[in-house]
Amino acid sequence: MAPFHYPQTAKSDQVDSYHGVAVPDPYRWLEDPRSAPTREWIEAQNQVTFGYLKQLPRRSSLQARLKALWNYERYGIPYKQGDRYFYSKNDGLQNQSVLYTLPTLDAEPTVLLDPNTLSEDGTVALGGIALSENGAYLAYGLSASGSDWVEWRVRDVATGQDLDDHLKWVKFSGAAWTHDHQGFFYSRYDEPDEASKYEDINYYQKLYYHRLGTPQSEDTLIYHRPDQKEWGFGSSVSEDGRYLIISVWKGTDPRNLVFYKDLSDPGAEVIELISEFEAEYSFLDNDGTTFWLRTDANAPKGRLIAIDITRPDPQQWQEIIPEAEETLESVGLLNHQFVADYLKDAYTTIKIFDLQGNFVRSVELPGIGSAGGFSGKREDTETFYSFTSFTSPTAIYRYDMTTGVSTLFRQPQVGFDPSAYLTTQVFYPSRDGIRIPMFITHRRDLTLDGSNPLLLYGYGGFGISLSPAFSVSNLVWLEMGGVYAVPNLRGGGEYGEDWHQAGTKLNKQNVFDDFIAAAEWLIEQGYTCSDKLAIAGGSNGGLLVGACMTQRPDLFAAALPAVGV
């Protein structure tokens, strides 16, 4: 390959003063994406990048193999609302999955919403859905060109036609229907300045109620806090329809507040149940005035508690499911039982408890991987869940809550032999001796002679866990003889809130050390060598890769710090 000739990047004399410290920012001019100099810079950079990529001799064959493998059916988890079932499905090469509805599981499905038809170039994406309690109406959000701004509309499920309802300036919000099926709660911001709507920071989110058939200008303001510009409001309605639950969030911090409003009393005020950002609280359901919540308050790995809202003092809280060795990810309520989703060393285990917190049984999963689902109503004896691993595409199972039996509902067929590959979990020491888990996937006939190309992927932030997941692009890498390794770095949520905090702020270097230690361990064990080692990550993972390629450029041959800003 000829050497790269990167375009020159102009430097300005921009200097900012922070608390008396002068901080140069010579590339500030690049922050305006619409300016002619920035557009010219982007185009010049793209010419370098794509000029290189087009020269790669195996690029066309890789594209063909990726396309062939990606062309397989992918199913979402079915769920029932009213007297109908709903699920999503992607035929294979569709840009977005299609939402279907059907009266019974063995009936012919009907297309309810196909996002692929919403724009000619595929740049309008589905940004959220919410079905009314009786399953008669679908509220759905659309995002254009990757924007966080979402516009919501309402579709009649029986006719497939949209109503006139149209909500704008919605961001970071779902929709929560009242049980009379006449409207829903949602959060939005005031209309921004048109010229800068994609760059401005958004403050002062407000919670509204929209009644079907009325213009957005008539929506009822339910709650806002003029004294708290950074607060955002998530809303849900309890299964009995009586309470509006408001989860108050601030930035990306998982710690939140919990407020509620009694919907049976038109004049009821919003009550602050949890009023300090001390821990994470997730409302599950209620039994009258008793609220069940999953929390990491005084339990970094999570527990289930009950709060009687007539006696809300923390001294009166009851512990239903105590903290365990595994991390409690979520809890569902089915068949009058709690279904607890745990992470055990970054893979899923499911346990069932009665309403008093007594252990009933574990759900036997198809293997070591990631499972999700187990949603529904308190009376339901039927539920569905998904299961996937690094070499198993997502399959859907039906679970009988009374018998504890899982049956395969849908399983996609992908054109490869999963038995030719092996995933193992290892534990290695980081720089300070902390034991870090890591998944390693490769062909079964791999030879540990240090000559294998290896892709090391990481994230390590925001309490997000990297559990086993199927990827066609990773599969093509494996087919070519590559090794794929995923360490569960500090900063993630694999071992609860303490694990998360151990990789944040002044502890952020721990994340980089964990990732670098993973690379060194893989080399020591003969999986690869520095000349064959690539690292990748996106967003917070892009920050990770950027730091590690800067701190240890000798250790890696290639790096993809994707969208690190």
Side-chain angles (χ1 to χ4, degrees):
M1 286 293 182
F4 292 125
H5 295 288
Y6 280 103
Q8 291 293 316
T9 304
K11 292 184 178 182
S12 72
D13 57 1
Q14 177 72 42
V15 177
D16 297 309
S17 178
Y18 295 102
H19 308 288
V21 178
V23 180
D25 192 357
Y27 304 116
R28 174 76 58 80
W29 61 274
L30 280 171
E31 294 183 11
D32 182 1
R34 293 184 302 271
S35 72
T38 301
R39 299 308 307 175
E40 292 172 2
W41 183 89
I42 292 171
E43 181 59 32
Q45 293 287 338
N46 283 340
Q47 288 178 5
V48 172
T49 300
F50 292 102
Y52 169 78
L53 293 176
K54 289 175 182 177
Q55 297 180 60
L56 296 177
R58 294 194 64 181
R59 184 171 169 81
S60 59
S61 61
L62 281 172
Q63 287 177 321
R65 182 57 177 156
L66 283 166
K67 184 175 181 179
L69 283 177
W70 242 307
N71 193 14
Y72 74 95
E73 292 180 325
R74 297 185 286 282
Y75 296 92
I77 302 171
Y79 55 95
K80 193 173 185 180
Q81 195 76 346
D83 58 358
R84 300 187 66 81
Y85 287 92
F86 299 85
Y87 73 97
S88 62
K89 177 190 173 187
N90 190 307
D91 288 338
L93 296 179
Q94 292 174 297
N95 285 325
Q96 301 184 64
S97 295
V98 179
L99 180 63
Y100 293 88
T101 182
L102 60 169
T104 60
L105 290 176
D106 55 0
E108 189 68 22
T110 301
V111 174
L112 179 56
L113 180 62
D114 184 356
N116 301 289
T117 65
L118 299 175
S119 63
E120 292 185 3
D121 60 359
T123 58
V124 174
L126 192 61
I129 62 172
L131 284 152
S132 61
E133 186 68 14
N134 60 358
Y137 299 109
L138 171 74
Y140 66 96
L142 300 178
S143 166
S145 304
S147 174
D148 285 330
W149 288 116
V150 178
E151 297 188 15
W152 283 77
R153 297 182 182 274
V154 179
R155 179 160 295 189
D156 186 307
V157 172
T159 66
Q161 300 299 309
D162 280 350
L163 307 182
D164 293 333
D165 303 75
H166 184 196
L167 308 181
K168 300 179 68 175
W169 310 121
V170 183
K171 184 184 283 193
F172 315 132
S173 173
W177 288 83
T178 49
H179 284 210
D180 60 3
H181 330 300
Q182 296 304 303
F184 52 86
F185 301 96
Y186 73 102
S187 298
R188 70 175 176 90
Y189 294 94
D190 292 336
E191 183 174 348
D193 180 78
E194 181 64 25
S196 58
K197 62 184 179 182
Y198 295 120
E199 289 102 46
D200 285 348
I201 296 175
N202 302 116
Y203 291 128
Y204 301 110
Q205 193 181 58
K206 299 174 181 178
L207 177 63
Y208 285 89
Y209 177 73
H210 173 73
R211 181 168 290 274
L212 292 184
T214 63
Q216 186 176 19
S217 59
E218 296 181 8
D219 288 353
T220 302
L221 177 61
I222 301 299
Y223 193 75
H224 76 127
R225 287 294 292 268
D227 60 325
Q228 298 290 346
K229 67 179 183 179
E230 296 183 29
W231 283 15
F233 307 103
S235 58
S236 61
V237 175
S238 58
E239 188 176 318
D240 62 6
R242 179 176 175 181
Y243 295 102
L244 168 66
I245 309 300
I246 303 172
S247 177
V248 183
W249 52 267
K250 184 178 179 181
T252 59
D253 194 327
R255 293 173 294 185
N256 63 306
L257 314 179
V258 178
F259 302 164
Y260 69 90
K261 177 181 173 67
D262 189 344
L263 298 178
S264 66
D265 178 4
E269 298 291 327
V270 171
I271 304 299
E272 298 187 5
L273 180 63
I274 307 293
S275 57
E276 298 290 338
F277 286 100
E278 57 176 8
E280 181 181 5
Y281 294 89
S282 178
F283 176 82
L284 171 61
D285 200 0
N286 67 296
D287 183 11
T289 60
T290 297
F291 285 13
W292 290 306
L293 301 100
R294 186 197 67 81
T295 182
D296 56 15
N298 302 313
K301 293 184 179 180
R303 59 177 179 147
L304 183 69
I305 63 172
I307 301 177
D308 187 337
I309 59 175
T310 66
R311 296 181 298 162
D313 186 274
Q315 300 298 323
Q316 302 295 324
W317 295 0
Q318 291 184 302
E319 185 173 77
I320 306 300
I321 301 177
E323 184 180 27
E325 286 297 316
E326 305 88 354
T327 301
L328 182 60
E329 291 277 277
S330 64
V331 184
L333 183 56
L334 296 158
N335 192 36
H336 299 282
Q337 294 173 315
F338 295 120
V339 182
D341 180 338
Y342 288 96
L343 268 188
K344 176 180 173 59
D345 294 330
Y347 62 86
T348 301
T349 60
I350 305 293
K351 298 179 182 180
I352 296 177
F353 300 85
D354 65 21
L355 295 184
Q356 288 70 47
N358 300 306
F359 176 74
V360 176
R361 64 173 175 270
S362 294
V363 175
E364 186 175 344
L365 297 174
I368 293 179
S370 302
F374 296 98
S375 62
K377 308 292 186 184
R378 191 182 310 189
E379 302 287 339
D380 290 349
T381 59
E382 168 194 69
T383 189
F384 297 85
Y385 68 91
S386 63
F387 181 83
T388 186
S389 69
F390 288 110
T391 56
S392 302
T394 301
I396 306 298
Y397 292 82
R398 179 185 178 276
Y399 186 72
D400 190 320
M401 288 292 300
T402 58
T403 65
V405 174
S406 293
T407 54
L408 185 64
F409 179 69
R410 294 287 187 272
Q411 183 171 34
Q413 300 299 317
V414 183
F416 82 108
D417 178 15
S419 66
Y421 305 92
L422 174 69
T423 295
T424 56
Q425 186 179 46
V426 301
F427 294 84
Y428 67 91
S430 187
R431 181 179 182 178
D432 58 0
I434 294 295
R435 190 166 173 259
I436 311 295
M438 176 164 58
F439 295 105
I440 308 174
T441 305
H442 52 78
R443 296 186 63 90
R444 288 186 179 272
D445 57 3
L446 183 80
T447 301
L448 297 181
D449 59 2
S451 68
N452 305 294
L454 188 146
L455 178 60
L456 181 64
Y457 181 86
Y459 189 78
F462 297 100
I464 294 173
S465 303
L466 293 189
S467 55
F470 182 76
S471 163
V472 165
S473 55
N474 290 339
L475 177 60
V476 173
W477 172 254
L478 295 171
E479 283 186 331
M480 296 192 306
V483 180
Y484 183 63
V486 180
N488 298 107
L489 314 172
R490 280 173 285 186
E494 289 86 352
Y495 293 107
E497 183 59 14
D498 285 350
W499 193 256
H500 168 218
Q501 292 297 330
T504 64
K505 300 180 181 177
L506 297 180
N507 295 321
K508 190 64 180 176
Q509 183 61 41
N510 286 336
V511 187
F512 313 146
D513 290 343
D514 292 352
F515 200 57
I516 290 168
E520 293 174 333
W521 187 91
L522 289 162
I523 292 171
E524 291 169 0
Q525 298 300 314
Y527 282 95
T528 190
C529 60
S530 290
D531 290 340
K532 296 290 185 71
L533 176 57
I535 54 175
S539 189
N540 176 73
L543 182 154
L544 163 72
V545 171
C548 291
M549 64 185 271
T550 303
Q551 294 183 8
R552 290 295 306 277
D554 60 300
L555 196 55
F556 316 108
L560 176 59
V563 294
V565 297

